[in-house]
Amino acid sequence: MEKNEVGVTKKEPNYRGVKAMPFVIGNETFEKLGTIGTSSNMLVYLSTVFNMSSISATNFIYIFNGTCNFGTMIGAFLSDTYLGRYKTLGFASISSFLGMLVLTLTAAFPALHPPKCGTGVSSNCVGPTPWQSAFLFSAFGLLVIGASGIRPCNLAFGADQFNPNTDSGRKGINSFFNWYYFTYTFAMMISLTLIVYVQANVNWAIGLGIPAFLMFLSVAFFFVGSRIYVKVLPEGSPLTSMAQVLVVAFKKRKLKLPEQPWSNLFNYFPPNSINSKLPYSAQLRFLNKAAIITTDDKINTDGSAANPWCLCSIQQVEALKCVIRVIPIWISGILYYVIIAQMQSYVVFQAIQSNRHLGSGKFRIPAATYIVFMMLSLSIWIPLYDRLILPSLRRITRKDEPISLLQRVGIGMVLAIVTMLTSALVETHRRTLALTHPTLGLVPRKGAISSMNGCWLIPQLAIAGISEAFTVIGLIEFYYKQFPENMRSFAGSFVFCASAMSSYLSSFVISVVHRTTRVGESENWLSEDLNKGRLDYFYYLVAGLEVINLGYFLVCSKYYKYKTTEKNIEDVAMEELQPQKPTV
């Protein structure tokens, strides 16, 4: 069933959570298998099939990932304001399928990609024609549209199918969250092993066709269950409310705040609002002027402002403050994500020029598959932390939350520095063996394969996974709990936007390092042949940036004030994550 824009109840929604789950989970599973199966090995595809250089391919992937993640803000806005989650997911899923289909065609038809390069290190390679590039970019454009709509809506849409006011509904929601993250892990494992293996060792057309077919199944599962879904209509974007506060505060910038603002400012609170009532705060006092009542301001009979572009409530002001207070912490997350980007890009190039054979056999682990160790360490660490470490800390500290959200984030940032230092040491070892010991052959257009076993790459990936478990999950929970309740879909977008900015930042740093550093007469730190470059120096540079970022984060954390409500002003520990109640 549906709900209207003003939240007036028409009819109790017909929740069919359990019956809807096969369709929702089926859609989620096949969508993740398709999306991750397509993107996980794309760096290798661009550099081997489209003959892009390592720098060009890496920058392209960074920009693509950044655009996908940044687009989630637009997707969340359109969903909450105009389309609703059902229509947004349906349109985005079709777009993702079409993007994967077009990408598969670039591999299947020789006319849509450049001819294959030779086998020599210095072989001349022909790049893609403008027509081939345009066809390739159209595929990625469709994938960007799909990701922008799916990522901010899929988890919330699944939670919409359960009634959060009943015990069975709450249990169903918790079960759905568990299945949701299980499907993500499952999709990562399958994509980074079986699908990547097919792409690298069988055929690119088949390897990309499999994710496209899985995405088609995802679309089919989604629409088959349409009749039994709870479809939540858009209520209007909270971004409009924030814009109103900024505009009105500017209009009234010359007015003087009353001596007792907490009792004299306009403090209308909608009776059917899903937000908690926020207390007045003295921070960012200039915004409080938006709630000053003048003789020109008119009030409706229900107590609301007649013109919200001339008068805002203190609740609107405090909601905006909640978002502004989070921004400094969000900025620190941008630089943190740089290390995640390195573990998903240059580690692949390290693996390509390492010994990837299992024992003395002929089987070689695909280079992109090594990233699965980061996911494995994250998946193993989370239950260990939740079931063993956290209960022990509670007994020792006698606190329900022995580690605050920001402390968790800080621990992950420390581990990020350790990750980059470990990566630098391993790369030094790999390069030294390649230059001083017999090599295992040549990689076309790159260089000699070091005798270092690829297993040496596992420690840095494992540490990165644990770091991600602390910082990324901590930031997700932090945004969710600190944002106003009606902006929790945007809280998820905040995470993706930080990752997007990080992708652009990574691309910029790589470009600067590529142009300004020198190794010998003609090479740089990020040379096409890692043996001639100094990737370890680049890793040390990123570690230095992470040290600066950690210092900035510690300063922000020291002065950060957690969101409070009038119900329990001194309560720092936020409420448990629960989906919003749909009104019909």
Side-chain angles (χ1 to χ4, degrees):
M1 305 303 294
E2 300 181 347
K3 65 179 182 179
N4 65 8
E5 294 183 358
V6 297
V8 177
T9 301
K10 291 181 179 179
K11 183 180 178 181
E12 181 66 22
N14 187 12
Y15 293 101
R16 299 178 180 178
V18 175
K19 293 183 179 180
M21 279 307 96
F23 304 104
V24 175
I25 294 297
N27 166 257
E28 296 288 345
T29 303
F30 290 123
E31 184 272 326
K32 288 182 175 62
L33 281 170
T35 303
I36 298 173
T38 298
S39 61
S40 57
N41 208 25
M42 195 48 53
L43 197 64
V44 177
Y45 180 70
L46 294 177
S47 59
T48 58
V49 176
F50 273 79
N51 301 335
M52 290 186 181
S53 65
S54 298
I55 295 294
S56 298
T58 303
N59 281 338
F60 183 87
I61 292 299
Y62 281 155
I63 293 172
F64 167 69
N65 289 335
T67 306
C68 285
N69 290 326
F70 191 73
T72 59
M73 185 66 74
I74 300 175
F77 173 79
L78 293 175
S79 173
D80 287 348
T81 309
Y82 300 109
L83 301 176
R85 282 188 277 270
Y86 172 76
K87 291 181 179 179
T88 302
L89 279 172
F91 178 78
S93 296
I94 293 174
S95 180
S96 287
F97 166 67
L98 293 176
M100 294 178 192
L101 182 61
V102 173
L103 194 62
T104 302
L105 295 179
T106 64
F109 294 97
L112 297 178
H113 62 257
K116 188 176 181 181
C117 295
T119 57
V121 176
S122 59
S123 300
N124 292 325
C125 289
V126 179
T129 65
W131 162 249
Q132 291 169 341
S133 297
F135 203 78
L136 177 69
F137 293 156
S138 68
F140 281 99
L142 289 167
L143 290 173
V144 166
I145 294 173
S148 299
I150 292 173
R151 293 180 182 180
C153 297
N154 54 3
L155 183 59
F157 180 76
D160 285 342
Q161 309 311 309
F162 297 91
N163 187 348
N165 297 318
T166 64
D167 289 338
S168 60
R170 285 189 287 269
K171 290 178 181 178
I173 291 171
N174 292 333
S175 178
F176 170 70
F177 285 158
N178 292 334
W179 278 104
Y180 179 88
Y181 288 107
F182 173 79
T183 60
Y184 177 77
T185 305
F186 173 77
M188 284 289 290
M189 301 300 179
I190 297 298
S191 299
L192 292 172
T193 51
L194 297 180
I195 295 179
V196 167
Y197 178 81
V198 172
Q199 292 170 347
N201 297 281
V202 180
N203 183 282
W204 273 107
I206 297 175
L208 292 174
I210 293 173
F213 176 72
L214 293 172
M215 191 64 216
F216 171 78
L217 293 179
S218 173
V219 175
F221 265 85
F222 180 77
F223 285 110
V224 166
S226 294
R227 291 188 176 183
I228 63 174
Y229 293 147
V230 172
K231 302 169 187 175
V232 180
L233 287 176
E235 294 183 327
S237 175
L239 293 180
T240 303
S241 175
M242 291 195 295
Q244 289 169 346
V245 173
L246 293 174
V247 170
V248 177
F250 179 78
K251 287 180 178 179
K252 298 182 176 180
R253 64 190 182 280
K254 295 182 180 180
L255 299 180
K256 185 179 179 181
L257 285 169
E259 294 182 1
Q260 295 182 329
W262 54 88
S263 60
N264 294 323
L265 293 176
F266 182 58
N267 196 20
Y268 172 73
F269 187 75
N272 57 356
S273 174
I274 61 174
N275 284 348
S276 302
K277 193 170 185 180
L278 302 172
Y280 169 85
S281 68
Q283 285 184 322
L284 304 170
R285 293 177 70 249
F286 66 94
L287 292 175
N288 294 340
K289 294 185 178 182
I292 296 177
I293 304 176
T294 66
T295 55
D296 295 330
D297 295 324
K298 296 181 180 180
I299 309 297
N300 293 323
T301 56
D302 63 353
S304 62
N307 187 351
W309 292 98
C310 293
L311 177 64
C312 297
S313 72
I314 197 64
Q315 296 303 313
Q316 290 177 273
V317 174
E318 292 300 328
L320 176 59
K321 289 181 182 180
C322 288
V323 177
I324 294 176
R325 282 196 292 262
V326 166
I327 290 177
I329 302 295
W330 175 77
I331 292 174
S332 68
I334 293 175
L335 194 53
Y336 167 79
Y337 279 105
V338 171
I339 71 114
I340 304 298
Q342 305 316 312
M343 292 301 101
Q344 295 176 350
S345 57
Y346 271 98
V347 167
V348 176
F349 292 132
Q350 284 182 282
I352 289 175
Q353 289 190 253
S354 300
N355 179 12
R356 292 178 281 126
H357 286 93
L358 283 180
S360 58
K362 295 183 178 180
F363 177 78
R364 287 195 309 170
I365 301 175
T369 298
Y370 281 90
I371 301 174
V372 78
F373 290 106
M374 186 166 71
M375 193 65 197
L376 272 174
S377 67
L378 186 150
S379 301
I380 294 172
W381 174 258
I382 289 176
L384 286 176
Y385 174 79
D386 188 59
R387 299 298 179 182
L388 295 178
I389 298 176
L390 197 56
S392 300
L393 290 175
R394 283 171 178 161
R395 287 193 295 269
I396 295 173
T397 62
R398 296 181 181 180
K399 296 180 179 179
D400 291 335
E401 292 189 8
I403 301 178
S404 69
L405 290 174
L406 292 180
Q407 286 174 338
R408 284 165 54 186
V409 174
I411 292 172
M413 289 185 173
V414 172
L415 291 176
I417 298 172
V418 176
T419 297
M420 299 316 299
L421 294 176
T422 304
S423 301
L425 293 174
V426 170
E427 171 57 19
T428 301
H429 177 61
R430 189 207 64 76
R431 183 177 181 272
T432 300
L433 289 181
L435 297 177
T436 60
H437 288 69
T439 57
L440 305 179
L442 296 174
V443 179
R445 300 170 54 230
K446 292 190 179 294
I449 300 174
S450 173
S451 59
M452 186 194 81
N453 194 290
C455 292
W456 279 85
L457 300 173
I458 296 178
Q460 67 197 58
L461 291 166
I463 298 172
I466 298 174
S467 171
E468 188 175 359
F470 274 106
T471 298
V472 176
I473 296 177
L475 285 173
I476 291 173
E477 187 175 351
F478 174 76
Y479 296 146
Y480 188 91
K481 292 181 175 180
Q482 297 305 300
F483 270 59
E485 286 83 346
N486 69 333
M487 291 190 66
R488 283 177 172 171
S489 59
F490 281 93
S493 297
F494 240 53
V495 177
F496 289 115
C497 286
S499 181
M501 296 298 293
S502 177
S503 295
Y504 296 139
L505 177 61
S506 297
S507 179
F508 173 75
V509 171
I510 285 176
S511 297
V512 171
V513 170
H514 180 66
R515 294 178 181 178
T516 60
T517 59
R518 286 290 177 267
V519 178
E521 296 182 358
S522 60
E523 301 295 338
N524 60 80
W525 289 2
L526 302 177
S527 173
E528 197 75 19
D529 181 359
L530 296 184
N531 301 329
K532 295 180 181 179
R534 293 310 303 253
L535 181 60
D536 49 349
Y537 289 177
F538 175 69
Y539 283 156
Y540 283 126
L541 172 64
V542 175
L545 294 175
E546 294 296 338
V547 170
I548 297 173
N549 187 50
L550 176 63
Y552 165 78
F553 171 79
L554 292 176
V555 173
C556 294
S557 300
K558 181 179 180 180
Y559 294 100
Y560 183 81
K561 293 184 178 180
Y562 286 87
K563 186 183 81 173
T564 58
T565 64
E566 287 192 357
K567 227 176 195 181
N568 189 0
I569 293 179
E570 296 181 355
D571 185 15
V572 174
M574 297 293 102
E575 65 182 0
E576 185 177 353
L577 186 152
Q578 291 288 349
Q580 302 167 3
K581 174 184 176 181
T583 57
V584 184

